[in-house]
Amino acid sequence: MDGFWIILISFGVTILFALGVPIFLVIGYWVVGVSLVIDFTLANIGVTLYEGLNFFGLLALPLFIMTGDLIKSAGIAKRLSDFAYSVLGWLRGGLAMASLGACGLFAAISGSNSATTATIGSIMHPEMKRGGYEETFAAATAAAGGTVGIIIPPSIIFIVYGFLMNLSISDLFIGGLIPGCLMVIAMQGACWIICQKNGWGHLIQFRLLRSLKTALGAWLGFFAILLVIWGIYSGAFSPTEAAGVTAGFCLIAGLVMYPLAKRLHHALPGETPGALPDDAGFFARLIIPGFSLTELPAIIMRSGQITGLLAPLIAVSVVMQQILSLLGADAFVTEMLGALGGYYAVLFACMAIVLVAGTVLESLPNTIILAPILAPIAASIGVDPIHFAVIFLVGDAIGFITPPYGLNLYVASGITGIPYFRLLKYTMPYLGALVVAWLLIAFIPELSTILLVNKGAGVYQLQ
């Protein structure tokens, strides 16, 4: 009888999800309903909700979110886009490829897919339209580029995965570096083919001096990226400390630069990527727009709103995972996949489950629900824990541009005004490129593990 009510509740919340009810409420309704059916005390739900967030490592979550908002408001993201275009603008489709490159650079500071899509999309979409690109393709490019936001370190979802699976977050960050770069290159390859076929994009002559000037203008962005990677890779600070250091650096840089930028407004970037005035002096190029002290509350409030959406979702998804374990879902999936036998059969089955789940679920609940089930199965067939984490989360990232959910497609649609379903036409080539990169990551474990240092024998401690 319990099974009937659980199926009925699951069907009911599925309808709510299809009607557009927020995923937090959908999971919450399911958790409360099923708890009542199986006599799972509601008091335990309250305790689990609290304990699910009472963890030091999760402090990195709001800090990296705020870092993304700070670098956008300070103008650092625009400077990174300028640099990417100065390097790739001589290629057919160079501006679109630069958008993808800028997504990778922004991801290396922010750790968020939706923030990457929104920030780079709002900067580069108008420029791509003026540069002769079809507007739907431009929006789809921003959506696809955002997928690397959770793979290139630092990554918010890697923090959650490490928390769930008791893995070193530092090792996870390092493991995602090469796969994230591979994803960018794969998408740039698809972008070049599309633009070559359609003749899109105005070519600019490559000039080393211009690239050096735009690199100089983006020095704060590069410094923030190196600060995170060096600190985590060298062990100078934990991921949580790295989040605090980076957010503090961007905060100070934005506030200090603002009064200088007002005095040197003539040296700020123009409307075209890479268009710092040629007569701008060395020190003028070091100045970014920054933000005033009066703008800071709005920036912090925006970061707080995003954190306020994610944190409750983490908490309620932890309770959902606990209930699924009580119902024997993990044992059922383990038995089902174990019957497949071979290494690659089980691995591909895990990848298929992640990809299918990613089409209907956001990465956070997808990770919290499936990672504790699939990771032990992968470990039982000899898959390195860090390697599987990267495989899992790359599959999760692909879900950001996979209908019907496709969060990045909704974000791109929101900032450009282009209907969701129109974006699908030009999303498919990027989806194919990402799947190819995903298969390479799965087949070649060294892509995820070669940079790891002081790796233990399969046992990782959370930092």
Side-chain angles (χ1 to χ4, degrees), residues 35-183:
S35 296
L36 293 173
V37 169
I38 65 175
D39 293 327
F40 189 65
T41 170
L42 294 180
N44 187 71
I45 293 179
V47 172
T48 306
L49 287 172
Y50 171 76
E51 293 298 334
L53 296 177
N54 186 26
F55 172 64
F56 176 74
L58 288 179
L59 283 175
L61 186 72
L63 290 171
F64 277 128
I65 291 173
M66 187 170 72
T67 298
D69 287 328
L70 289 172
I71 61 177
K72 175 185 177 182
S73 300
I76 296 175
K78 176 66 167 62
R79 294 294 183 89
L80 292 173
S81 301
D82 293 346
F83 168 74
Y85 182 53
S86 72
V87 173
L88 297 171
W90 60 278
L91 293 168
R92 176 64 65 187
L95 183 55
M97 294 169 68
S99 298
L100 295 168
C103 285
L105 292 172
F106 185 87
I109 313 175
S110 70
S112 167
N113 65 292
S114 55
T116 299
T117 297
T119 300
I120 302 303
S122 61
I123 293 172
M124 299 300 283
H125 184 263
E127 302 299 339
M128 289 178 66
K129 285 176 61 179
R130 282 194 287 268
Y133 294 84
E134 207 276 333
E135 65 171 359
T136 306
F137 170 75
T141 299
T147 58
V148 300
I150 66 167
I151 303 299
I152 295 179
S155 164
I156 293 171
I157 202 67
F158 271 136
I159 296 171
V160 176
Y161 191 102
F163 162 65
L164 289 173
M165 303 311 302
N166 195 30
L167 298 180
S168 165
I169 297 176
S170 296
D171 282 356
L172 289 172
F173 279 3
I174 296 167
L177 186 57
I178 294 178
C181 294
L182 179 63
M183 291 168 66

Side-chain angles (χ1 to χ4, degrees), residues 99-425:
S99 298
L100 295 168
C103 285
L105 292 172
F106 185 87
I109 313 175
S110 70
S112 167
N113 65 292
S114 55
T116 299
T117 297
T119 300
I120 302 303
S122 61
I123 293 172
M124 299 300 283
H125 184 263
E127 302 299 339
M128 289 178 66
K129 285 176 61 179
R130 282 194 287 268
Y133 294 84
E134 207 276 333
E135 65 171 359
T136 306
F137 170 75
T141 299
T147 58
V148 300
I150 66 167
I151 303 299
I152 295 179
S155 164
I156 293 171
I157 202 67
F158 271 136
I159 296 171
V160 176
Y161 191 102
F163 162 65
L164 289 173
M165 303 311 302
N166 195 30
L167 298 180
S168 165
I169 297 176
S170 296
D171 282 356
L172 289 172
F173 279 3
I174 296 167
L177 186 57
I178 294 178
C181 294
L182 179 63
M183 291 168 66
V184 172
I185 293 171
M187 289 188 289
Q188 287 179 328
C191 177
W192 181 83
I193 292 172
I194 296 170
C195 294
Q196 193 76 9
K197 179 180 178 181
N198 292 281
W200 289 335
H202 301 317
L203 305 184
I204 63 171
Q205 184 179 359
F206 175 75
R207 294 177 181 173
L208 180 60
L209 182 59
R210 174 167 48 197
S211 296
L212 292 175
K213 287 180 178 179
T214 54
L216 182 64
W219 73 276
L220 281 170
F222 293 129
F223 185 84
I225 293 170
L226 293 174
L227 183 64
V228 173
I229 295 176
W230 168 80
I232 295 174
Y233 194 88
S234 67
F237 35 72
S238 71
T240 303
E241 293 166 341
V245 169
T246 309
F249 168 76
C250 293
L251 174 63
I252 294 171
L255 291 175
V256 169
M257 290 290 180
Y258 181 73
L260 299 176
K262 290 189 68 175
R263 295 184 181 183
L264 298 170
H265 64 278
H266 62 279
L268 297 180
E271 294 185 354
T272 305
L276 270 170
D278 291 333
D279 60 347
F282 175 83
F283 290 105
R285 290 184 179 277
L286 299 179
I287 306 301
I288 59 171
F291 46 80
S292 67
L293 195 59
T294 57
E295 295 176 272
L296 190 57
I299 297 172
I300 296 175
M301 179 61 72
R302 186 165 60 246
S303 302
Q305 289 172 338
I306 297 174
T307 304
L309 292 173
L310 296 181
L313 186 56
I314 294 174
V316 76
S317 296
V318 169
V319 183
M320 184 179 188
Q321 193 276 325
Q322 187 181 60
I323 294 175
L324 287 172
S325 296
L326 289 174
L327 295 175
D330 51 351
F332 171 76
V333 175
T334 300
E335 182 179 350
M336 181 180 65
L337 295 184
L340 297 176
Y343 176 94
Y344 288 109
V346 173
L347 182 59
F348 286 148
C350 291
M351 294 170 67
I353 291 173
V354 173
L355 186 61
V356 171
T359 64
V360 294
L361 280 178
E362 207 270 338
S363 63
L364 207 54
N366 194 16
T367 299
I368 293 173
I369 294 168
L370 291 179
I373 297 174
L374 299 182
I377 297 173
S380 70
I381 61 172
V383 182
D384 181 273
I386 299 297
H387 180 213
F388 183 75
V390 175
I391 293 173
F392 184 101
L393 293 173
V394 169
D396 238 1
I398 292 175
F400 288 132
I401 56 170
T402 307
Y405 183 69
L407 176 61
N408 284 11
L409 296 175
Y410 284 107
V411 174
S413 176
I415 63 174
T416 62
I418 299 173
Y420 174 94
F421 289 102
R422 278 184 57 195
L423 299 177
L424 296 181
K425 175 182 178 181

